[in-house]
């Protein structure tokens, strides 16, 4: 993207953020905890958190599944959209990330139950499928992009018609435009986009998202 346009689009994002996403103690504390613990700053942006929150409210979500917890920033946004008797299950590979998230989420004293499960997401998803829990209302994919296609197939087994499946980072700064991306995460995001575009059980679209660089969030509705 041309520098001047990039500058403009970042100013537009900041403008939207100033209007709709005021600074909030629990969210600021969450990011401070993550930074102090040395976690990478790859959480969703504030405007994207707000979008996740609104989408959860729009579908009246009570049960949400998140794949990729990091320090629990997106978890905090989503949890605030759920009723007090809601449930948010969030999957994280790294015990250290899960521990930082656990502390921050406890401190934020969120109303719905939050269940952090540590381990490779594909295994945790298979455990959830085996335990025949009720379907989720919203599923947010945000772990390794190389696993997105597999996570989608498993997520569909935890869905019902009307479940919303969202995935972060599906544009990868435009690297998905490459006919065959070298990086496994870029290739994984590109493969995911092609699967959701043609999947018989999904109706989908990708929204470009402004962050430090341009990225995207996919929205898929289960038929
Ligand atoms: N949703 C978070 C950001 C998640 S970053 C937010 O917006 O605040 C991606 C996370 O996925 C990292 O914490 C990483 O450790 C985790 N991850 C990577 N591979 C994974 C896997 N195979 N299973 C589960 N989590 C994984
Ligand atoms: C990056 C950003 C993300 O939102 C994510 O989930 C993983 C990686 C990144 O900018 O590298
Ligand atoms: Mg992400």
């Amino acid at each position: 993207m041309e520098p001047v346009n990039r500058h403009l689009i970042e100013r537009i994002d900041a403008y939207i953020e100033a209007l709709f996403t005021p600074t909030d103690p629990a969210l600021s504390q969450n990011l401070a905890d993550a930074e102090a613990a040395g976690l990478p700053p790859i959480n969703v942006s504030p405007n994207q958190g707000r979008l996740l929150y609104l989408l959860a409210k729009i579908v009246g979500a009570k049960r949400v599944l998140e794949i990729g917890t990091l320090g629990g920033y997106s978890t905090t946004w989503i949890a605030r959209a759920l009723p007090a008797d809601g449930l948010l299950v969030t999957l994280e590979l790294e015990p250290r990330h899960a521990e930082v998230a656990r502390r921050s989420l406890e401190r934020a004293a969120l109303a719905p139950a939050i269940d952090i499960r540590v381990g490779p997401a594909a295994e945790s998803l298979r455990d959830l499928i085996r335990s025949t829990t009720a379907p989720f209302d919203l599923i947010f994919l945000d772990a390794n992009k190389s696993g997105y296609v597999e996570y989608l197939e498993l997520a569909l087994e935890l869905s019902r018609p009307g479940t919303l499946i969202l995935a972060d980072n599906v544009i990868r700064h435009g690297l998905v435009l490459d006919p065959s991306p070298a990086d496994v995460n870029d290739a994984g995001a590109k493969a995911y986009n092609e699967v959701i575009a043609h999947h018989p059980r999904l109706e989908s679209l990708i929204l470009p998202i402004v962050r430090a660089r341009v990225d995207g969030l996919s929205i898929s509705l289960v038929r």
Side-chain angles (χ1 to χ4, degrees), residues 55-57 59-66 78-79 81-90 112-115 117 127-129 131-140 155 157-160 162-165:
L55 287 170
K57 284 216 158 177
V59 301
K62 283 186 80 168
R63 295 170 53 82
V64 174
L65 173 61
E66 177 179 65
I78 297 167
L82 307 188
D85 63 346
L87 171 68
L88 207 172
V89 178
T90 182
I114 299 178
D115 176 1
R117 299 192 179 194
D127 287 343
L128 283 166
I129 292 165
S131 68
T132 62
T133 49
F136 289 95
D137 307 311
L138 188 157
I139 301 178
F140 175 46
E157 294 190 47
L158 295 162
S159 298
R160 54 162 174 81
T163 293
L164 207 52
I165 301 182

Short mmCIF file of all heavy atoms in Angstrom, two decimals, residues 55-57 59-66 78-79 81-90 112-115 117 127-129 131-140 155 157-160 162-165:
data_model
loop_
_atom_site.label_atom_id
_atom_site.label_comp_id
_atom_site.label_asym_id
_atom_site.label_seq_id
_atom_site.Cartn_x
_atom_site.Cartn_y
_atom_site.Cartn_z
N LEU A 55 -20.77 -8.65 17.29
CA LEU A 55 -21.24 -9.85 16.59
C LEU A 55 -21.79 -10.87 17.60
O LEU A 55 -22.81 -11.51 17.35
CB LEU A 55 -20.12 -10.46 15.75
CG LEU A 55 -19.77 -9.67 14.48
CD1 LEU A 55 -18.49 -10.21 13.85
CD2 LEU A 55 -20.92 -9.70 13.47
N ALA A 56 -21.11 -11.01 18.73
CA ALA A 56 -21.60 -11.95 19.77
C ALA A 56 -22.97 -11.51 20.26
O ALA A 56 -23.87 -12.33 20.46
CB ALA A 56 -20.60 -12.03 20.92
N LYS A 57 -23.16 -10.20 20.44
CA LYS A 57 -24.47 -9.69 20.88
C LYS A 57 -25.53 -9.87 19.79
O LYS A 57 -26.67 -10.23 20.07
CB LYS A 57 -24.35 -8.22 21.26
CG LYS A 57 -23.70 -8.02 22.61
CD LYS A 57 -24.31 -6.85 23.34
CE LYS A 57 -24.04 -7.00 24.84
NZ LYS A 57 -24.55 -5.85 25.59
N VAL A 59 -25.81 -12.11 17.52
CA VAL A 59 -26.32 -13.50 17.41
C VAL A 59 -26.86 -14.00 18.76
O VAL A 59 -27.28 -15.15 18.86
CB VAL A 59 -25.26 -14.49 16.85
CG1 VAL A 59 -24.81 -14.06 15.46
CG2 VAL A 59 -24.07 -14.66 17.78
N GLY A 60 -26.83 -13.15 19.78
CA GLY A 60 -27.33 -13.56 21.10
C GLY A 60 -26.53 -14.72 21.67
O GLY A 60 -27.08 -15.63 22.30
N ALA A 61 -25.21 -14.68 21.47
CA ALA A 61 -24.37 -15.82 21.87
C ALA A 61 -24.40 -16.05 23.38
O ALA A 61 -24.31 -15.12 24.17
CB ALA A 61 -22.93 -15.58 21.41
N LYS A 62 -24.56 -17.31 23.75
CA LYS A 62 -24.44 -17.73 25.16
C LYS A 62 -23.24 -18.65 25.34
O LYS A 62 -22.65 -18.71 26.40
CB LYS A 62 -25.71 -18.48 25.61
CG LYS A 62 -26.89 -17.58 25.89
CD LYS A 62 -28.06 -18.35 26.47
CE LYS A 62 -27.89 -18.63 27.96
NZ LYS A 62 -29.15 -19.14 28.58
N ARG A 63 -22.93 -19.40 24.29
CA ARG A 63 -21.81 -20.35 24.34
C ARG A 63 -20.85 -20.01 23.21
O ARG A 63 -21.22 -20.05 22.03
CB ARG A 63 -22.32 -21.78 24.14
CG ARG A 63 -23.22 -22.30 25.25
CD ARG A 63 -23.86 -23.62 24.84
NE ARG A 63 -22.87 -24.59 24.41
CZ ARG A 63 -22.16 -25.36 25.23
NH1 ARG A 63 -22.33 -25.30 26.53
NH2 ARG A 63 -21.29 -26.22 24.74
N VAL A 64 -19.62 -19.67 23.58
CA VAL A 64 -18.61 -19.26 22.59
C VAL A 64 -17.37 -20.12 22.73
O VAL A 64 -16.97 -20.49 23.85
CB VAL A 64 -18.25 -17.76 22.76
CG1 VAL A 64 -17.11 -17.37 21.82
CG2 VAL A 64 -19.46 -16.86 22.51
N LEU A 65 -16.77 -20.45 21.60
CA LEU A 65 -15.52 -21.20 21.56
C LEU A 65 -14.48 -20.34 20.87
O LEU A 65 -14.70 -19.86 19.75
CB LEU A 65 -15.72 -22.51 20.79
CG LEU A 65 -14.47 -23.35 20.49
CD1 LEU A 65 -13.79 -23.81 21.78
CD2 LEU A 65 -14.87 -24.56 19.64
N GLU A 66 -13.33 -20.12 21.54
CA GLU A 66 -12.23 -19.35 20.96
C GLU A 66 -11.03 -20.28 20.81
O GLU A 66 -10.72 -21.04 21.72
CB GLU A 66 -11.87 -18.18 21.89
CG GLU A 66 -10.68 -17.36 21.42
CD GLU A 66 -10.38 -16.19 22.36
OE1 GLU A 66 -10.01 -16.43 23.53
OE2 GLU A 66 -10.53 -15.05 21.92
N ILE A 78 -15.11 -10.61 24.18
CA ILE A 78 -16.23 -11.51 23.88
C ILE A 78 -17.01 -11.81 25.16
O ILE A 78 -18.25 -11.81 25.15
CB ILE A 78 -15.73 -12.81 23.22
CG1 ILE A 78 -15.07 -12.51 21.87
CG2 ILE A 78 -16.87 -13.81 23.06
CD1 ILE A 78 -14.28 -13.68 21.28
N ALA A 79 -16.30 -12.03 26.26
CA ALA A 79 -16.97 -12.39 27.53
C ALA A 79 -17.97 -11.30 27.93
O ALA A 79 -19.04 -11.59 28.48
CB ALA A 79 -15.94 -12.60 28.63
N ALA A 81 -19.86 -9.65 26.13
CA ALA A 81 -21.08 -9.69 25.32
C ALA A 81 -22.01 -10.82 25.77
O ALA A 81 -23.14 -10.91 25.29
CB ALA A 81 -20.72 -9.88 23.85
N LEU A 82 -21.52 -11.68 26.67
CA LEU A 82 -22.29 -12.87 27.04
C LEU A 82 -23.11 -12.63 28.30
O LEU A 82 -22.71 -11.84 29.16
CB LEU A 82 -21.34 -14.06 27.26
CG LEU A 82 -20.37 -14.39 26.13
CD1 LEU A 82 -19.65 -15.71 26.42
CD2 LEU A 82 -21.08 -14.47 24.79
N PRO A 83 -24.24 -13.34 28.42
CA PRO A 83 -25.01 -13.24 29.66
C PRO A 83 -24.25 -13.88 30.81
O PRO A 83 -23.30 -14.65 30.59
CB PRO A 83 -26.29 -14.02 29.34
CG PRO A 83 -25.91 -14.97 28.25
CD PRO A 83 -24.84 -14.29 27.46
N ALA A 84 -24.67 -13.58 32.04
CA ALA A 84 -23.97 -14.08 33.24
C ALA A 84 -23.91 -15.61 33.26
O ALA A 84 -22.96 -16.18 33.79
CB ALA A 84 -24.63 -13.54 34.49
N ASP A 85 -24.91 -16.27 32.67
CA ASP A 85 -24.89 -17.74 32.66
C ASP A 85 -24.26 -18.28 31.37
O ASP A 85 -24.44 -19.45 31.02
CB ASP A 85 -26.30 -18.32 32.87
CG ASP A 85 -27.25 -17.93 31.74
OD1 ASP A 85 -26.92 -17.02 30.94
OD2 ASP A 85 -28.34 -18.53 31.65
N GLY A 86 -23.53 -17.42 30.66
CA GLY A 86 -22.86 -17.83 29.43
C GLY A 86 -21.60 -18.63 29.71
O GLY A 86 -21.15 -18.73 30.86
N LEU A 87 -21.04 -19.21 28.64
CA LEU A 87 -19.81 -20.00 28.75
C LEU A 87 -18.88 -19.64 27.61
O LEU A 87 -19.30 -19.56 26.45
CB LEU A 87 -20.14 -21.50 28.68
CG LEU A 87 -18.92 -22.44 28.56
CD1 LEU A 87 -18.09 -22.44 29.84
CD2 LEU A 87 -19.37 -23.86 28.21
N LEU A 88 -17.62 -19.42 27.95
CA LEU A 88 -16.61 -19.15 26.93
C LEU A 88 -15.49 -20.17 27.12
O LEU A 88 -14.80 -20.16 28.14
CB LEU A 88 -16.09 -17.71 27.10
CG LEU A 88 -15.55 -16.99 25.87
CD1 LEU A 88 -15.25 -15.54 26.18
CD2 LEU A 88 -14.33 -17.64 25.28
N VAL A 89 -15.34 -21.06 26.15
CA VAL A 89 -14.26 -22.04 26.18
C VAL A 89 -13.16 -21.50 25.28
O VAL A 89 -13.44 -21.12 24.13
CB VAL A 89 -14.72 -23.42 25.67
CG1 VAL A 89 -13.55 -24.42 25.67
CG2 VAL A 89 -15.88 -23.95 26.50
N THR A 90 -11.93 -21.40 25.78
CA THR A 90 -10.85 -20.85 24.97
C THR A 90 -9.64 -21.79 25.00
O THR A 90 -9.27 -22.29 26.05
CB THR A 90 -10.53 -19.38 25.38
OG1 THR A 90 -9.49 -18.86 24.53
CG2 THR A 90 -10.10 -19.26 26.83
N PRO A 112 -19.55 -14.37 32.76
CA PRO A 112 -19.70 -15.74 32.26
C PRO A 112 -18.55 -16.65 32.67
O PRO A 112 -17.45 -16.18 32.96
CB PRO A 112 -19.73 -15.57 30.73
CG PRO A 112 -19.13 -14.25 30.46
CD PRO A 112 -19.32 -13.40 31.68
N ALA A 113 -18.81 -17.94 32.71
CA ALA A 113 -17.76 -18.91 33.02
C ALA A 113 -16.75 -18.94 31.87
O ALA A 113 -17.13 -18.93 30.70
CB ALA A 113 -18.38 -20.29 33.21
N ILE A 114 -15.45 -18.93 32.22
CA ILE A 114 -14.40 -19.00 31.20
C ILE A 114 -13.56 -20.23 31.46
O ILE A 114 -13.02 -20.41 32.55
CB ILE A 114 -13.55 -17.71 31.19
CG1 ILE A 114 -14.44 -16.50 30.88
CG2 ILE A 114 -12.42 -17.83 30.16
CD1 ILE A 114 -13.73 -15.17 30.88
N ASP A 115 -13.50 -21.10 30.47
CA ASP A 115 -12.81 -22.39 30.59
C ASP A 115 -11.61 -22.37 29.63
O ASP A 115 -11.78 -22.45 28.42
CB ASP A 115 -13.84 -23.48 30.21
CG ASP A 115 -13.24 -24.89 30.21
OD1 ASP A 115 -12.04 -25.04 30.50
OD2 ASP A 115 -14.01 -25.83 29.89
N ARG A 117 -8.50 -24.14 28.09
CA ARG A 117 -7.98 -25.50 27.93
C ARG A 117 -6.63 -25.45 27.24
O ARG A 117 -6.52 -24.95 26.11
CB ARG A 117 -8.95 -26.34 27.12
CG ARG A 117 -10.29 -26.44 27.83
CD ARG A 117 -11.15 -27.49 27.22
NE ARG A 117 -12.41 -27.58 27.93
CZ ARG A 117 -13.27 -28.57 27.81
NH1 ARG A 117 -13.00 -29.56 26.99
NH2 ARG A 117 -14.39 -28.58 28.50
N ASP A 127 -11.58 -33.49 21.91
CA ASP A 127 -12.11 -33.78 23.25
C ASP A 127 -13.51 -33.19 23.40
O ASP A 127 -14.41 -33.83 23.95
CB ASP A 127 -11.21 -33.17 24.34
CG ASP A 127 -9.90 -33.95 24.50
OD1 ASP A 127 -9.83 -35.10 24.02
OD2 ASP A 127 -8.96 -33.40 25.10
N LEU A 128 -13.68 -31.95 22.91
CA LEU A 128 -15.00 -31.30 23.01
C LEU A 128 -16.04 -32.07 22.21
O LEU A 128 -17.18 -32.25 22.66
CB LEU A 128 -14.92 -29.86 22.51
CG LEU A 128 -14.29 -28.84 23.45
CD1 LEU A 128 -13.96 -27.54 22.70
CD2 LEU A 128 -15.21 -28.55 24.64
N ILE A 129 -15.66 -32.55 21.02
CA ILE A 129 -16.59 -33.31 20.17
C ILE A 129 -16.98 -34.61 20.89
O ILE A 129 -18.15 -34.96 20.95
CB ILE A 129 -15.96 -33.59 18.79
CG1 ILE A 129 -15.81 -32.27 18.01
CG2 ILE A 129 -16.80 -34.60 18.00
CD1 ILE A 129 -14.90 -32.35 16.80
N SER A 131 -16.97 -35.20 24.07
CA SER A 131 -17.76 -34.98 25.30
C SER A 131 -19.18 -34.52 24.98
O SER A 131 -19.95 -34.22 25.90
CB SER A 131 -17.05 -33.98 26.22
OG SER A 131 -17.05 -32.70 25.62
N THR A 132 -19.52 -34.48 23.69
CA THR A 132 -20.88 -34.14 23.21
C THR A 132 -21.51 -32.97 23.96
O THR A 132 -22.60 -33.05 24.47
CB THR A 132 -21.85 -35.35 23.26
OG1 THR A 132 -21.99 -35.77 24.62
CG2 THR A 132 -21.35 -36.48 22.39
N THR A 133 -20.75 -31.87 24.04
CA THR A 133 -21.30 -30.65 24.61
C THR A 133 -22.31 -30.07 23.62
O THR A 133 -22.29 -30.42 22.44
CB THR A 133 -20.19 -29.61 24.87
OG1 THR A 133 -19.40 -29.52 23.69
CG2 THR A 133 -19.30 -30.01 26.02
N ALA A 134 -23.18 -29.21 24.06
CA ALA A 134 -24.14 -28.54 23.18
C ALA A 134 -23.37 -27.71 22.15
O ALA A 134 -22.23 -27.33 22.39
CB ALA A 134 -25.05 -27.65 24.01
N PRO A 135 -23.97 -27.45 20.98
CA PRO A 135 -23.25 -26.66 19.97
C PRO A 135 -22.95 -25.25 20.46
O PRO A 135 -23.64 -24.72 21.33
CB PRO A 135 -24.23 -26.62 18.79
CG PRO A 135 -25.55 -27.00 19.33
CD PRO A 135 -25.31 -27.85 20.52
N PHE A 136 -21.90 -24.66 19.88
CA PHE A 136 -21.56 -23.27 20.21
C PHE A 136 -22.34 -22.33 19.30
O PHE A 136 -22.72 -22.68 18.18
CB PHE A 136 -20.05 -23.06 20.06
CG PHE A 136 -19.26 -23.76 21.13
CD1 PHE A 136 -18.73 -25.03 20.91
CD2 PHE A 136 -19.07 -23.16 22.37
CE1 PHE A 136 -18.02 -25.69 21.91
CE2 PHE A 136 -18.36 -23.81 23.37
CZ PHE A 136 -17.84 -25.08 23.14
N ASP A 137 -22.57 -21.12 19.80
CA ASP A 137 -23.28 -20.08 19.03
C ASP A 137 -22.31 -19.28 18.18
O ASP A 137 -22.68 -18.73 17.14
CB ASP A 137 -24.01 -19.13 19.98
CG ASP A 137 -24.90 -19.87 20.95
OD1 ASP A 137 -25.68 -20.73 20.49
OD2 ASP A 137 -24.80 -19.64 22.17
N LEU A 138 -21.06 -19.17 18.66
CA LEU A 138 -20.04 -18.40 17.95
C LEU A 138 -18.69 -19.09 18.18
O LEU A 138 -18.40 -19.51 19.31
CB LEU A 138 -20.02 -16.96 18.48
CG LEU A 138 -19.15 -15.94 17.75
CD1 LEU A 138 -19.68 -14.52 18.01
CD2 LEU A 138 -17.69 -15.99 18.16
N ILE A 139 -17.90 -19.21 17.11
CA ILE A 139 -16.58 -19.83 17.21
C ILE A 139 -15.59 -18.88 16.55
O ILE A 139 -15.81 -18.42 15.42
CB ILE A 139 -16.56 -21.22 16.52
CG1 ILE A 139 -17.61 -22.14 17.19
CG2 ILE A 139 -15.17 -21.84 16.58
CD1 ILE A 139 -17.74 -23.53 16.59
N PHE A 140 -14.51 -18.54 17.28
CA PHE A 140 -13.52 -17.57 16.80
C PHE A 140 -12.17 -18.26 16.64
O PHE A 140 -11.58 -18.70 17.62
CB PHE A 140 -13.43 -16.40 17.78
CG PHE A 140 -12.36 -15.39 17.46
CD1 PHE A 140 -12.21 -14.89 16.17
CD2 PHE A 140 -11.52 -14.90 18.45
CE1 PHE A 140 -11.22 -13.94 15.87
CE2 PHE A 140 -10.54 -13.95 18.17
CZ PHE A 140 -10.39 -13.47 16.88
N ALA A 155 -14.66 -27.53 14.05
CA ALA A 155 -15.61 -26.53 14.57
C ALA A 155 -17.02 -26.80 14.05
O ALA A 155 -18.01 -26.62 14.77
CB ALA A 155 -15.16 -25.13 14.19
N GLU A 157 -18.36 -29.55 13.59
CA GLU A 157 -18.97 -30.63 14.39
C GLU A 157 -19.47 -30.10 15.74
O GLU A 157 -20.17 -30.81 16.46
CB GLU A 157 -17.96 -31.75 14.62
CG GLU A 157 -17.60 -32.46 13.32
CD GLU A 157 -16.80 -33.73 13.56
OE1 GLU A 157 -17.20 -34.54 14.43
OE2 GLU A 157 -15.77 -33.90 12.89
N LEU A 158 -19.07 -28.88 16.07
CA LEU A 158 -19.51 -28.26 17.33
C LEU A 158 -20.48 -27.12 17.05
O LEU A 158 -20.70 -26.26 17.90
CB LEU A 158 -18.27 -27.75 18.09
CG LEU A 158 -17.31 -28.83 18.55
CD1 LEU A 158 -15.94 -28.24 18.90
CD2 LEU A 158 -17.88 -29.58 19.76
N SER A 159 -21.03 -27.11 15.82
CA SER A 159 -21.91 -26.03 15.38
C SER A 159 -23.33 -26.53 15.14
O SER A 159 -23.59 -27.73 15.09
CB SER A 159 -21.39 -25.43 14.07
OG SER A 159 -20.11 -24.88 14.25
N ARG A 160 -24.23 -25.59 14.93
CA ARG A 160 -25.61 -25.85 14.52
C ARG A 160 -25.93 -24.83 13.43
O ARG A 160 -25.19 -23.85 13.28
CB ARG A 160 -26.56 -25.64 15.72
CG ARG A 160 -26.36 -24.25 16.33
CD ARG A 160 -27.48 -23.80 17.20
NE ARG A 160 -27.14 -22.53 17.84
CZ ARG A 160 -27.21 -21.33 17.29
NH1 ARG A 160 -27.63 -21.20 16.04
NH2 ARG A 160 -26.87 -20.24 17.95
N GLY A 162 -26.90 -21.61 12.00
CA GLY A 162 -26.95 -20.30 12.67
C GLY A 162 -25.69 -19.97 13.46
O GLY A 162 -25.51 -18.83 13.86
N THR A 163 -24.84 -20.97 13.70
CA THR A 163 -23.57 -20.68 14.37
C THR A 163 -22.73 -19.76 13.49
O THR A 163 -22.68 -19.93 12.27
CB THR A 163 -22.79 -21.99 14.66
OG1 THR A 163 -23.51 -22.76 15.62
CG2 THR A 163 -21.38 -21.70 15.20
N LEU A 164 -22.07 -18.79 14.13
CA LEU A 164 -21.20 -17.87 13.43
C LEU A 164 -19.76 -18.33 13.64
O LEU A 164 -19.34 -18.54 14.78
CB LEU A 164 -21.41 -16.48 14.03
CG LEU A 164 -21.15 -15.24 13.20
CD1 LEU A 164 -21.89 -15.29 11.88
CD2 LEU A 164 -21.55 -14.00 14.00
N ILE A 165 -19.02 -18.53 12.54
CA ILE A 165 -17.61 -18.92 12.65
C ILE A 165 -16.77 -17.78 12.09
O ILE A 165 -16.91 -17.39 10.92
CB ILE A 165 -17.33 -20.24 11.88
CG1 ILE A 165 -18.21 -21.37 12.45
CG2 ILE A 165 -15.84 -20.59 11.98
CD1 ILE A 165 -17.98 -22.73 11.81
#
